[in-house]
């Protein structure tokens, strides 16, 4: 008796369902209507023909990735929104950065260390650091953009803050607020380590 070929068995024919391309028609129509755009207006913005847009919205055509990219740009939404990608998971209410994972910067001589406490997405807007200066060590900086200010709160030791031609000594517990859009310097005046919080606020 002839044997049935494996690729003609009912089980093999039905075990793997065919994958369907994402249907973007309903999503496209909803986004277009939410922005009060006509088919003509979206056609001009996206560079896609009105007839193609109509076919996509009525599920009579599946657009190429290039067409979806044009539509997403014209609507000002992420590409995944049109492709039906699941939304990114919500950020946790509390995020803990382990001590060993906190990035730091050191001077070549090792006399100054800045532990970067602020998140990277705020860099260039609002930054804060834990500053450590060994005896005689200094943190010297060139001028930042106009309007930038720094706020230094001394925790331990004795330091001198220089901003342009002005100088000021600090004792533990004191805070210096100064212009950082000119050359500036933080110098440890003692022989033991000095520690401080440093906040940098950039002009918006």
């Amino acid at each position: 008796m002839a044997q049935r070929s494996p690729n003609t068995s009912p089980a093999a024919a039905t075990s793997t369902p065919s994958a369907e391309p994402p249907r973007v028609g309903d999503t496209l129509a909803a986004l277009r209507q939410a922005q009060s755009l006509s088919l003509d207006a979206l056609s001009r913005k996206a560079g896609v023909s009105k007839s193609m847009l109509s076919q996509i919205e009525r599920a009579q055509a599946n657009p190429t990735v290039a067409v979806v990219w044009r539509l997403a740009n014209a609507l000002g939404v992420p590409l995944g929104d049109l492709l039906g990608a699941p939304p990114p998971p919500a950020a946790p209410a509390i995020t803990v950065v382990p001590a060993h994972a906190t990035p730091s910067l050191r001077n070549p001589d090792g006399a100054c260390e800045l532990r970067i406490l602020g998140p990277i997405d705020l860099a260039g807007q609002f930054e804060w650091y834990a500053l450590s200066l060994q005896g005689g060590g200094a943190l010297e900086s060139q001028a930042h953009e106009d309007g930038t200010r720094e706020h230094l709160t001394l925790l331990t030791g004795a330091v001198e803050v220089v901003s342009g031609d002005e100088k000021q000594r600090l004792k533990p517990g004191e805070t210096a607020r100064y212009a950082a859009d000119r050359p500036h310097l933080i110098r440890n005046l003692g022989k033991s380590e000095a520690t401080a919080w440093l906040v940098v606020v950039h002009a918006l």
Side-chain angles (χ1 to χ4, degrees):
M1 178 182 297
Q3 293 183 346
R4 185 189 298 268
S5 172
N7 60 5
T8 59
S9 67
T14 60
S15 59
T16 304
S18 60
E20 293 186 0
R23 297 181 179 180
V24 302
D26 292 342
T27 304
L28 175 61
L31 289 170
R32 177 177 63 78
Q33 292 166 11
Q35 297 185 26
S36 301
L37 290 172
S38 66
L39 285 173
D40 281 331
L42 182 56
S43 173
R44 290 192 297 270
K45 288 185 68 175
V48 177
S49 70
K50 179 180 175 181
S51 62
M52 173 60 74
L53 291 177
S54 178
Q55 291 177 19
I56 293 171
E57 289 193 0
R58 289 180 290 150
Q60 294 179 347
N62 283 311
T64 64
V65 173
V67 169
V68 176
W69 181 82
R70 289 182 183 178
L71 294 173
N73 279 339
L75 293 167
V77 299
L79 186 67
D81 283 9
L82 280 178
L83 293 176
I94 299 176
T95 300
V96 176
V97 180
H100 70 270
T102 301
S104 63
L105 302 171
R106 287 179 179 269
N107 280 2
D109 60 7
C112 172
E113 179 184 19
L114 276 174
R115 298 182 67 237
I116 304 172
L117 304 180
I120 191 65
D121 56 312
L122 290 182
Q125 303 175 50
F126 183 82
E127 305 161 21
W128 63 99
Y129 306 88
L131 171 63
S132 300
L133 290 172
Q134 300 303 315
L139 173 61
E140 185 171 1
S141 304
Q142 296 301 312
H144 302 315
E145 66 269 19
D146 289 346
T148 301
R149 294 188 64 81
E150 291 186 357
H151 308 261
L152 182 77
T153 300
L154 186 62
L155 302 177
T156 63
V159 302
E160 179 181 62
V161 176
V162 180
S163 176
D165 297 327
E166 298 184 30
K167 299 180 181 180
Q168 182 64 55
R169 293 191 175 192
L170 288 185
K171 296 181 294 187
E174 293 183 332
T175 297
R177 311 186 193 282
Y178 51 93
D181 53 3
R182 62 192 69 177
H184 49 288
L185 172 73
I186 304 168
R187 179 187 295 116
N188 185 351
L189 299 176
K191 296 181 179 179
S192 59
E193 182 185 53
T195 59
W197 301 123
L198 175 62
V199 176
V200 183
V201 181
H202 296 265
L204 299 179

